[in-house]
Amino acid sequence: MTTIPAALSRPRLLLAAGPMRRGFMLGLLATLVVGLMMLIGASAGVALSHAERVMPGVSIAGVPVGGMDRTSAIARLEAQLPSLTEGMLLLQIDAETRELPVADLGRAYDIEATVDAALAVARSGNPLADGVTRLRALAHPTALAGASVTLDPVVVDEIVAGVVADYDRPPADASVRLRKQQGFVATPAVVGITVDAEALRQALTTMLATSRGDVAIDVPVERADPAVSTRDGMAAAIAAGWMSQEPLRLTGGGERLKIQPSRLASLITFGQLADGGWGASIDEGSLAKLLRPIADRVGSAPRDAAFLYGPNGVVGVVAAEPGSKLRLKATVANVVAALGQRAAGSSKPSAALAIGVAQPNVTTAEARKIAPVMQRISSWTTFYVPGEGNFWNANIHIPAWDLDGRVIGPGEWFEFWQGIGPVTLERGYGYGGAIIGGRSVPNGALAGGICSTSTTLFNAAMRAGLEIGERVNHSYYIDRYPMGLDATVLQTDTWETDMTFRNDTDSPVVIRSFTGNGWVRFEIWGVPSGRTVTLSAPATSNHGIAIETTVVNPDLAPGTSKRVEYMHNGFDSVVTRWVRDANGTLIHEDTWYSHYRTVNGITEVGPTRSSD
């Protein structure tokens, strides 16, 4: 039978105040001190026995190095650490995978740093902490997570730079092009991608330092949507095809007019729409340019009221007639609307031309009102010698007849070439003299001599006090014209010199013309306004004296001669015109400068007779 000490069978006695309690506490404390001293001694023994070696139980990446000195630990790690050259680096980039051999990445173990980390176990410099670590290592081995790995920063930068270069792309909008065989074709949009280079660099550094074998990294990217999506582009291409697949008839003009598909296609542009979307639309400027030439075909010019003349002046009025004109802006809107309906799926076959009324510049009522007070307010007559230089009057008379009775409304400009009819052989014009290169050329131009008409009308309009526009003097002075007040006209395929003036009065004016053999006269008729015209005397300067020259022409018979150029002295001329209203207020002040070249006379003579 076991006997239990009374104190142990009654534990409360141990805690009760008195000698028994003090004895127990002293014994327990002594036991703890002895145990602690034993542990410290054991720890100190371990430290002393491994002074230059790795503490027992330490391993690195599964390779045990406990108890080894530096050299042995380095040798073992070099022999047993997993290879860093095997496997692939797999970069996952926006649904694509780029593979790079790990062996090309420049990875290497930092063996020295790894062994330093192993030797540092239980050697932190804190005696208590190091002692506990050493004791723990006796029972539980210490495993370091892995060996230190070094990376070549140049290789990392090259990988990052290569990925950025290959995969960075800005967003690209969808677009539509017209192709000859396929019609309108949409090019798909491209989503923009921006590689986060810094995040990729950090991921590479982290993964390559800790992973072995294959290493997979999702490359971080940011996406940017294009402003014009592939869907927008395809919808625009379809709409453009619908707009231009069939000719568009233009109705309401009395003509059979169509805009063919190819022309319709050329009018279509792509971009932002008025409603804020993106798609196909019509270039209204190009459409207006396309439609403008048909204005003359679908319209008719109005006829101004005209006047009937008797021996003593105006005796009646010829009524005005309105015309018709193409309202271009409204017609463009109609065509755009029709094509818009096609773009929405309609088979709209036509668009209406907008035809408006063209009012005459001078109405019948206005003409009747002023007819009783109309009178001649200016005139000018030019005398010339009929001959081949003016096609025996025709080149002067025909344009004068064209202009007879022409009414110019208030504010309207008159242009000589626009005012006369076509200059053609069929109308009776012929070749006459012209100044070409500063020399007289007989039969040098169709309608040669017409300048007598333009100069005469210029002088009549100028002396009526009307506003003068374009006026150009002849190359040399022709003495049948007032000095410094001639007005030449010229029209070629590439060049035009015109004579223009404007009716700047409040009432219509009328051009009257009269012709005879060797003379032409123009009169300006209108309502007297009290204007007065004053002309300065021509001021001349820079005079040049022409001389007579003789040139032998072997094609002439001996002893004969032929004049091919008359002498024309050169000079500069300045003439000023002042126009005042009925109150004496200055309306116009014009100064016309004319430079006339010196032209020497030329007489061609036959060769001298040879002696027998």
Side-chain angles (χ1 to χ4, degrees):
M1 181 174 182
T2 303
T3 302
I4 300 175
L8 295 178
S9 64
R10 299 164 61 186
R12 291 185 178 182
L13 296 176
L14 296 175
L15 301 176
M20 183 177 292
R21 178 182 177 183
R22 287 194 297 272
F24 174 76
M25 294 302 291
L26 289 173
L28 178 61
L29 179 62
T31 301
L32 292 174
V33 169
V34 170
L36 178 62
M37 293 302 294
M38 291 176 65
L39 290 173
I40 292 173
S43 175
V46 171
L48 182 62
S49 63
H50 290 76
E52 299 296 332
R53 292 179 295 165
V54 179
M55 291 297 173
V58 175
S59 65
I60 299 172
V63 178
V65 292
M68 291 185 170
D69 59 18
R70 171 180 288 275
T71 301
S72 299
I74 289 174
R76 175 169 289 184
L77 290 174
E78 289 177 342
Q80 298 185 16
L81 281 175
S83 172
L84 292 178
T85 61
E86 296 179 358
M88 301 293 290
L89 172 62
L90 308 175
L91 298 177
Q92 191 69 29
I93 310 168
D94 193 42
E96 295 184 25
T97 301
R98 169 175 285 193
E99 297 185 358
L100 298 172
V102 171
D104 296 341
L105 303 181
R107 277 197 309 181
Y109 285 115
D110 188 348
I111 299 296
E112 295 288 340
T114 301
V115 172
D116 287 343
L119 289 171
V121 174
R123 291 186 174 91
S124 67
N126 185 328
L128 181 59
D130 289 344
V132 172
T133 301
R134 286 191 291 270
L135 292 175
R136 184 183 298 114
L138 294 175
H140 302 287
T142 300
L144 299 183
S148 297
V149 176
T150 60
L151 302 175
D152 186 341
V154 174
V155 174
V156 173
D157 287 343
E158 288 177 351
I159 294 173
V160 173
V163 171
V164 169
D166 291 344
Y167 292 94
D168 260 19
R169 63 173 183 256
D173 292 343
S175 61
V176 181
R177 290 186 177 181
L178 176 61
R179 296 181 178 174
K180 188 173 182 180
Q181 301 297 331
Q182 301 162 287
F184 289 97
V185 178
T187 299
V190 176
V191 176
I193 292 179
T194 302
V195 175
D196 188 337
E198 186 55 36
L200 174 58
R201 184 177 288 104
Q202 293 177 3
L204 284 170
T205 301
T206 300
M207 295 296 290
L208 292 176
T210 59
S211 301
R212 305 294 179 264
D214 291 341
V215 179
I217 297 177
D218 286 331
V219 177
V221 298
E222 294 181 359
R223 292 173 175 79
D225 292 329
V228 181
S229 67
T230 298
R231 181 177 180 180
D232 291 338
M234 294 180 65
I238 293 171
W242 286 346
M243 281 192 279
S244 60
Q245 65 183 348
E246 298 290 341
L248 182 71
R249 289 186 289 108
L250 302 176
T251 63
E255 295 273 344
R256 297 176 64 87
L257 300 172
K258 291 182 180 180
I259 305 178
Q260 296 299 329
S262 60
R263 300 302 297 272
L264 291 173
S266 70
L267 300 173
I268 299 174
T269 62
F270 300 90
Q272 294 298 319
L273 303 177
D275 62 3
W278 190 93
S281 61
I282 299 300
D283 182 343
E284 295 188 12
S286 297
L287 175 58
K289 186 177 180 180
L290 175 66
L291 294 174
R292 193 170 288 115
I294 73 172
D296 292 339
R297 296 177 59 182
V298 301
S300 60
R303 190 178 71 182
D304 289 339
F307 299 91
L308 299 174
Y309 299 88
N312 298 319
V314 176
V315 296
V317 170
V318 178
E321 291 184 3
S324 61
K325 63 180 179 180
L326 178 69
R327 295 170 54 215
L328 187 60
K329 186 174 181 180
T331 299
V332 167
N334 290 348
V335 172
V336 169
L339 295 178
Q341 293 178 39
R342 284 187 173 187
S346 167
S347 58
K348 183 75 174 177
S350 64
L353 294 171
I355 306 296
V357 176
Q359 297 293 346
N361 290 321
V362 181
T363 65
T364 303
E366 187 176 14
R368 287 173 176 168
K369 179 180 178 181
I370 66 173
V373 292
M374 289 279 286
Q375 59 182 267
R376 184 178 63 201
I377 56 178
S378 72
S379 68
W380 191 257
T381 303
T382 297
F383 296 93
Y384 58 89
V385 177
E388 65 175 351
N390 48 58
F391 200 61
W392 291 274
N393 292 315
N395 293 345
I396 299 173
H397 288 183
I398 293 173
W401 298 334
D402 287 341
L403 296 172
D404 187 34
R406 167 69 185 272
V407 180
I408 305 173
E412 183 182 356
W413 277 96
F414 168 84
E415 299 176 9
F416 183 83
W417 287 116
Q418 189 179 62
I420 66 174
V423 178
T424 63
L425 294 171
E426 291 75 14
R427 295 192 68 224
Y429 283 97
Y431 282 87
I435 302 174
I436 301 176
R439 292 290 182 183
S440 300
V441 180
N443 303 319
L446 181 63
I450 197 173
C451 296
S452 289
T453 311
S454 59
T455 293
T456 306
L457 179 55
F458 165 78
N459 275 269
M462 179 269 296
R463 294 167 197 274
L466 301 179
E467 178 183 348
I468 301 300
E470 185 176 353
R471 172 263 168 188
V472 178
N473 62 276
H474 289 81
S475 178
Y476 57 74
Y477 177 59
I478 300 173
D479 59 9
R480 64 175 173 271
Y481 303 139
M483 185 178 296
L485 295 176
D486 53 333
T488 186
V489 290
L490 172 68
Q491 192 175 58
T492 69
D493 292 338
T494 59
W495 185 260
E496 181 178 283
T497 299
D498 209 348
M499 186 276 293
T500 66
F501 60 86
R502 186 173 76 95
N503 175 15
D504 60 331
T505 71
D506 296 331
S507 301
V509 297
V510 182
I511 298 173
R512 296 296 317 279
S513 69
F514 306 88
T515 60
N517 188 30
W519 62 273
V520 59
R521 181 170 76 250
F522 278 99
E523 297 177 353
I524 303 297
W525 284 65
V527 177
S529 62
R531 290 188 180 190
T532 59
V533 176
T534 304
L535 291 170
S536 70
T540 62
S541 60
N542 301 322
H543 291 268
I545 305 302
I547 62 173
E548 185 63 52
T549 62
T550 302
V551 177
V552 175
N553 183 349
D555 294 332
L556 294 179
T560 62
S561 63
K562 178 183 179 182
R563 175 169 288 282
V564 295
E565 186 67 81
Y566 288 92
M567 291 190 300
H568 299 276
N569 292 330
F571 59 93
D572 292 338
S573 170
V574 179
V575 178
T576 300
R577 180 188 74 155
W578 296 272
V579 180
R580 290 179 170 83
D581 64 15
N583 297 320
T585 302
L586 185 66
I587 301 173
H588 300 298
E589 181 176 352
D590 307 286
T591 299
W592 290 298
Y593 299 89
S594 304
H595 172 68
Y596 299 109
R597 296 176 55 182
T598 301
V599 179
N600 293 326
I602 302 175
T603 299
E604 293 181 348
V605 298
T608 304
R609 295 179 182 272
S610 59
S611 59
D612 295 335

